[in-house]
Amino acid sequence: MLVKEGKSVFNGVAIGKIFVYRKADKAVSQNQVEDTTAEMARFEAAKEKAMSQLKGLYEKALKDVGEEEAMIFDVHQMLLDDLDYNESIQNIIENDKMNAEYAVFMTCEQFAAMFLSMDDDYMRGRAADVKDISERVISILNGSQVSPEAMPEPVIILAEDLAPSETVQFEKDKLLALVTQKGSANSHTAILARTMNIPSLVSTDVEVDPDYDGKMAVVDGFAGLLYIDPDEETLTKMYEKKGRADQQRALLQEMKGKETVTKSGKHIHLYSNIGGIQDVDAVLENDAEGIGLFRSEFLYLECDDYPSEEVQFEAYKTVLSRMGGKKVIIRTLDIGADKQIGYFDLPKEENPALGYRAIRICLTREEVFRTQLRALYRASAYGTLSIMFPMIISVKEILRIKEIVEEVKLELAREDKPVGNVELGIMIETPAAAVISDLLAPYVDFFSIGTNDLSQYTLAIDRQNQSLDNFFDPHHEAILRLIQVTIENAHKYGAWCGICGELGADMELTQRFIQMGIDELSVSPGYTLALRKRIREC
Ligand code: PEP
Ligand code: MG
C-alpha cells in the first residue's frame, strides 16, 4: 500500500480504480513497418472506435443542443468513411510501408490543403473537420486519448494537471474523484471538482505513473490522502468513513425546504454556482434558491468553435426554464488566464492573469459579446435572468457595456423578439472595483464579489501557483476589508451585494459576512445545505 499526501479541495471519500490521464500527444511518430496487414488492422480498429465515439457525440449533442448542431458529428462520420480518404491511408501503409499514425497525418495534410484551396466558404470550412477527425484517430492509435468510452466504470482520475478544457470533457457520472500532482485549491479545476461534488486532491505528492492504471485506490478528501493498493484494514476503515460521510449528508437533507434565515430573522439568499446545464440537477437536488453564478465560458470551452447565438440561446433557455422562475445570474464570457480556448487565438502573454481576459476581450471583440448578449436577452423571456460582467475596473467599462446592451435590446425589439426584465450587475473581483465601489454602485442593480480573483489580486498571489500556498491567507484582513467596503457602498446606492467566490462557502466566515450585511451567498451545489444549516445557527 502506498500513501500519498495532497491538498483536499472537496471533502468525501471515494473508493475505486485509478485511471491515469495522459495529455493528448500531438506529436506524430513516423516509422517504417514490416507487417502492413497488421498495420491496416490497427488503423481499422482505431477508425471503428472513432466512429463509435462520433455516434455517441451525435446522440449527446442531439439531446443537449438539438439536431442542427448535432449534424457536425454526422458530417465527421461521413468524412471518416470517405473512400478517397481511406484509400490514401491504405496506400501510404501498404505501398510506402509507413505506420498508421503517419498515414493518417499525411492524408489529413493533403485533404485539408485541398479543401482550403476551394472557392466555396463551406468547403473551406471542411479543412478543420478533416483535421479534427484525423487527430481523433491518431490519438486513439497512439493511446493518448481519454474519452468516456475509455472509462468503463467510474474511476479516480490521476493526472499531472488538468486544464478546465480537459476537466469539462469528463462525463460526470464516470468520475469518483480527481487527483492531480499540480494545481492549487483556487484553480478552476478545483472549483469544477467542487461543483461536481466529488472528493479531490490537488498538489499531491504522487508520480503520474502509468503502472497505477487500473489499481485500486482510496481518496480521503477529509484527510487529504490518497491510498494506492490499500490493505484490507485501511479499506475497511475507509468504507466506514465513507458510510459516516454519507450519513452526515443524509442528515443535511432535513435542511431541504427550510428558510435560509439567521436566528435574528435576516434572510440570506442562498444560491448555487454552476458551469453548465448538467449542473442544474445538483442545484435543484440541493434546494438552492437560485443560481448565483453560471460561468458561461464553460459553454465556449466545450465547443470546438464559437458557439452560435442559437446554441447559446438554447443552453440559457434550458437553464432558465428548468429553474422555473427562480433567479439565474449568468456571467458573460470570462476567458483568458487559465481558461484558454484555441479558436479564440489569444496572444501569448507574459502575465496572463493581468492580461487580456474577460470583459476586456468582450469590449474589444464586440461581435462575440453581442452574440452572447442577444442569446441572453432572448432567453430572458423564459425565466428570471440577471446578467453580470466579470473583471470590471472602471465606470467607463460599465457605461460602454450599457450602451451595447441598449443597442442589442433595440435590435431584438425591431425583430419582435420578446425579452424579460433583466437585472444588471458586476463582479467585484479587482481591488480597483472594490475601492471605487461607491462610484460603480449607482450604475448597477447588484454586486457579486469574486473572492477568488479578488484574493489573488489583493495579495499578489497567483491563484494557480501551488508553491505560494504557504503565503496565501484566505482570511487576510485586506480581503475582508474590501468585502466590507463593497457591501456598504452597494447598500448606500440601493444595490444588493453577494459573494460568488469560494470564500462564500467558508463557514468560519459566515457569521462575519452576515454582520457585514451580505445579502446573498452563492456556493457549489454540494455546500448549499450545510451552509443553510450554518446560517440558521448564526
Ligand atoms: C472569482 O474570481 O471569485 C469568481 C467567482 O470567478 P472565477 O473563479 O471564475 O474567476
Ligand atoms: Mg474571477
Side-chain angles (χ1 to χ4, degrees), residues 61 103 422 489:
V422 179
N489 283 329

Side-chain angles (χ1 to χ4, degrees), residues 446-511:
F446 68 95
F447 286 155
S448 188
I449 305 175
T451 51
N452 310 332
D453 278 316
L454 187 62
S455 307
Q456 93 162 330
Y457 296 130
T458 304
L459 305 180
I461 289 185
D462 179 357
R463 65 195 269 192
Q464 296 292 113
N465 189 339
Q466 79 222 59
S467 57
L468 297 175
D469 279 357
N470 286 341
F471 293 94
F472 184 70
D473 172 12
H475 295 188
H476 196 293
E477 198 51 35
I479 303 168
L480 297 175
R481 286 187 195 180
L482 288 177
I483 295 175
Q484 171 82 76
V485 80
T486 301
I487 298 171
E488 282 168 8
N489 283 329
H491 290 170
K492 227 184 262 176
Y493 292 92
W496 62 263
C497 185
I499 298 177
C500 63
E502 297 299 292
L503 210 58
D506 186 330
M507 293 183 216
E508 283 175 39
L509 290 174
T510 310
Q511 174 98 17

Side-chain angles (χ1 to χ4, degrees), residues 428-438 440 454 482-483 485-486 489:
I428 301 288
E429 52 183 346
T430 62
V435 171
I436 61 159
S437 47
D438 56 331
L440 303 173
L454 187 62
L482 288 177
I483 295 175
V485 80
T486 301
N489 283 329

Side-chain angles (χ1 to χ4, degrees), residues 392 394-402 426 440 443-444:
I392 296 296
S394 70
V395 169
K396 200 169 111 190
E397 288 164 345
I398 303 181
L399 293 178
R400 181 64 194 135
I401 290 168
K402 288 186 127 180
I426 56 170
L440 303 173
Y443 297 97
V444 296

Side-chain angles (χ1 to χ4, degrees), residues 1 12-17 153-154 156 176 215-222 227 229-249:
M1 174 173 82
V13 176
I15 304 171
K17 287 194 178 142
E153 56 188 304
I156 295 168
L176 293 173
K215 289 213 164 154
M216 194 63 190
V218 178
V219 175
D220 179 353
F222 295 101
Y227 300 90
D229 262 342
D231 55 34
E232 275 307 310
E233 195 190 333
T234 308
L235 207 52
T236 311
K237 266 198 205 148
M238 286 298 127
Y239 271 115
E240 281 167 13
K241 197 166 185 176
K242 185 172 177 338
R244 283 197 300 275
D246 290 345
Q247 243 172 16
Q248 283 218 314
R249 205 164 305 128

Side-chain angles (χ1 to χ4, degrees), residues 118-282:
M118 292 181 175
D119 286 337
D120 185 85
D121 272 354
Y122 175 82
M123 293 312 282
R124 269 205 304 278
R126 303 285 68 77
D129 295 322
V130 171
K131 282 201 171 148
D132 202 338
I133 56 159
S134 304
E135 274 172 16
R136 182 178 292 280
V137 176
I138 291 170
S139 59
I140 294 173
L141 280 164
N142 66 19
S144 64
Q145 192 192 48
V146 162
S147 66
E149 290 88 327
M151 301 192 264
E153 56 188 304
V155 287
I156 295 168
I157 300 261
L158 173 62
E160 186 186 332
D161 203 359
L162 291 167
S165 58
E166 292 170 305
T167 316
V168 294
Q169 291 170 37
F170 300 134
E171 293 273 337
K172 196 177 147 202
D173 52 10
K174 291 279 170 69
L175 291 187
L176 293 173
L178 298 177
V179 178
T180 60
Q181 196 185 37
K182 297 183 178 160
S184 69
N186 256 344
S187 64
H188 281 95
T189 292
I191 291 171
L192 275 171
R194 279 181 214 119
T195 309
M196 292 189 285
N197 220 349
I198 52 172
S200 295
L201 308 180
V202 295
S203 204
T204 315
D205 173 31
V206 61
E207 286 304 311
V208 185
D209 185 340
D211 283 352
Y212 294 150
D213 221 19
K215 289 213 164 154
M216 194 63 190
V218 178
V219 175
D220 179 353
F222 295 101
L225 293 174
L226 165 72
Y227 300 90
I228 300 174
D229 262 342
D231 55 34
E232 275 307 310
E233 195 190 333
T234 308
L235 207 52
T236 311
K237 266 198 205 148
M238 286 298 127
Y239 271 115
E240 281 167 13
K241 197 166 185 176
K242 185 172 177 338
R244 283 197 300 275
D246 290 345
Q247 243 172 16
Q248 283 218 314
R249 205 164 305 128
L251 276 178
L252 281 175
Q253 299 301 306
E254 68 174 31
M255 283 293 127
K256 282 191 184 171
K258 294 221 162 114
E259 209 192 339
T260 309
V261 66
T262 64
K263 283 190 168 159
S264 54
K266 178 173 161 85
H267 180 88
I268 306 292
H269 295 286
L270 181 54
Y271 297 152
S272 280
N273 295 345
I274 65 164
I277 303 173
Q278 70 283 355
D279 301 324
V280 175
D281 284 340

